[in-house]
């Protein structure tokens, strides 16, 4: 992994104030949660995670030295109701960064997956930690950058930028692009201007207007994904009613 110094020199954004870089770590989100001196605008990045975590209690595996696995810690001064916009904006930032650095079309799948050619290229796990100074949000991102292959059980649903492009991508260039876009949307959200972010997210989504199945724990709902609310919930139209979905896994019905 590049050192903290390498990363800092590469960044063209002033957003990140503190950087922790590791060769190996259990999980950047787990470390973020356990930090005693947690600070706003911290980046934790590692070349390898041996206990990487995904959403809904799943594992996140990523080949050492090939991909991006990092967490951004922020302390947003916003009402709890709009905290759900942060994971959406992180997914959007990754999709935009991929488009800018790799010239590929990347789409957002609610709540915060990024797909290329219908396969997942990035997953985001957002968590919070409450301290005496207030609530910190940890946005953990795993981006498949240069991984050349995936295990059989994942190869139909996961891909990497290098698989799609047939060439390797500079991880620090991509990280920088993600942080630039995230800084932009973060500032908009904390200033109360989230409309443009939501519009851009919708412009990057292929699921609105389509039939979907949403799974949350043991509950499965099917309907049409019609829109997002101002705070980032998914609006599902089922027969004659509309339901706001706070979290869950979305599957497109083909
Ligand atoms: C998902 O799609 O289920 C979310 C995956 C999130 C993975 C990232 S990798 C960096 C950070 N640390 C973790 O343990 N998980 C997130």
């Amino acid at each position: 992994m590049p050192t903290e110094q390498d990363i800092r020199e590469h960044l063209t954004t002033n957003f990140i104030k503190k950087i922790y870089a590791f060769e190996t770590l259990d999980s950047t989100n787990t470390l973020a949660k356990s930090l005693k001196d947690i600070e706003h605008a911290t980046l934790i990045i590692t070349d390898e995670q041996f206990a990487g975590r995904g959403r809904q209690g799943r594992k996140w595996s990523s080949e050492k030295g090939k991909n991006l696995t990092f967490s951004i810690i922020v302390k947003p001064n916003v009402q709890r109701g709009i905290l759900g916009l942060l994971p959406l904006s992180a997914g959007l930032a990754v999709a935009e960064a991929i488009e800018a650095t790799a010239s590929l079309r990347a789409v957002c799948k609610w709540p915060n997956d990024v797909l290329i050619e219908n396969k997942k290229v990035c997953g985001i796990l957002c968590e919070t930690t409450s301290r005496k100074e207030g609530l910190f949000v940890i946005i953990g991102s795993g981006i498949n950058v240069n991984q050349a292959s995936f295990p059989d059980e994942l190869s139909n649903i996961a891909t990497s930028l290098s698989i799609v492009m047939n060439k390797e991508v500079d991880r620090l260039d991509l990280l920088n692009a993600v942080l630039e876009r995230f800084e932009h949307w973060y500032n908009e959200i904390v200033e109360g201007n989230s409309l443009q972010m939501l519009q851009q997210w919708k412009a990057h989504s292929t699921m609105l207007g389509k039939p979907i199945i949403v799974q949350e724990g043991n509950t499965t709902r099917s309907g049409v994904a019609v829109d997002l609310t101002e705070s980032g919930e998914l609006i599902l139209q089922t027969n004659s009613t509309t339901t706001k979905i706070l979290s869950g896994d979305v599957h497109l019905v083909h």
Side-chain angles (χ1 to χ4, degrees), residues 1-2 6-7 9-13 45 67-68 70 93-94 96-102 143 145-146 161 167-181:
M1 187 75 222
D6 296 332
I7 296 169
E9 279 169 11
H10 213 89
L11 296 188
T12 53
T13 154
I45 184 162
N67 299 321
L68 282 171
F70 62 95
V94 171
E96 291 175 322
I98 289 173
E99 290 180 345
T101 48
I143 311 178
V145 185
N146 292 323
L161 297 184
K167 67 171 190 196
E168 297 221 330
V169 172
D170 187 295
R171 289 187 294 162
L172 284 189
D173 284 349
L174 182 64
L175 174 70
N176 189 47
V178 173
L179 293 175
E180 276 194 353
R181 291 315 293 157

Side-chain angles (χ1 to χ4, degrees), residues 27-29 49 51-55 58 60 69-71 113 120 123-125 140-142:
S27 143
T28 56
N29 269 36
Q49 295 187 127
R53 294 186 287 114
R55 294 177 59 246
R58 289 185 289 255
W60 181 261
T69 41
F70 62 95
S71 301
D113 286 350
K120 181 157 162 172
I124 291 171
L125 175 67
S141 309

Side-chain angles (χ1 to χ4, degrees), residues 15 28 33 42 49-50 62 66 88 101 149-150 158 188 191-194 202 211 227:
F15 184 62
T28 56
K33 276 187 157 180
T42 294
Q49 295 187 127
F50 53 85
S62 175
K66 296 285 182 190
L88 288 183
T101 48
S149 62
F150 290 87
E188 294 272 286
E191 283 161 20
N193 309 323
S194 15
K202 290 180 205 173
D227 206 354

Side-chain angles (χ1 to χ4, degrees), residues 147-161:
Q147 186 158 331
S149 62
F150 290 87
D152 283 350
E153 67 276 16
L154 292 180
S155 60
N156 280 333
I157 52 169
T159 193
S160 70
L161 297 184

Side-chain angles (χ1 to χ4, degrees), residues 47-144:
D47 240 6
E48 179 187 46
Q49 295 187 127
F50 53 85
R53 294 186 287 114
R55 294 177 59 246
Q56 318 256 16
R58 289 185 289 255
K59 282 201 309 195
W60 181 261
S61 314
S62 175
E63 218 170 275
K64 180 174 181 164
K66 296 285 182 190
N67 299 321
L68 282 171
T69 41
F70 62 95
S71 301
I72 305 167
I73 303 170
V74 287
K75 186 175 171 296
N77 211 356
V78 295
Q79 286 177 341
R80 262 180 189 259
I82 62 166
L83 281 182
L85 294 175
L86 288 176
L88 288 183
S89 71
L92 175 60
V94 171
E96 291 175 322
I98 289 173
E99 290 180 345
T101 48
S103 305
L104 291 171
R105 172 81 178 143
V107 303
C108 299
K109 191 178 101 172
W110 191 88
N112 37 37
D113 286 350
V114 181
L115 314 182
I116 296 178
E117 296 173 356
N118 283 324
K119 292 184 178 180
K120 181 157 162 172
V121 75
C122 167
I124 291 171
L125 175 67
C126 261
E127 299 181 293
T128 54
T129 178
S130 206
R131 306 296 174 89
K132 60 177 189 313
E133 311 92 289
L135 190 76
F136 289 83
V137 179
I138 300 159
I139 301 158
S141 309
I143 311 178
N144 300 329

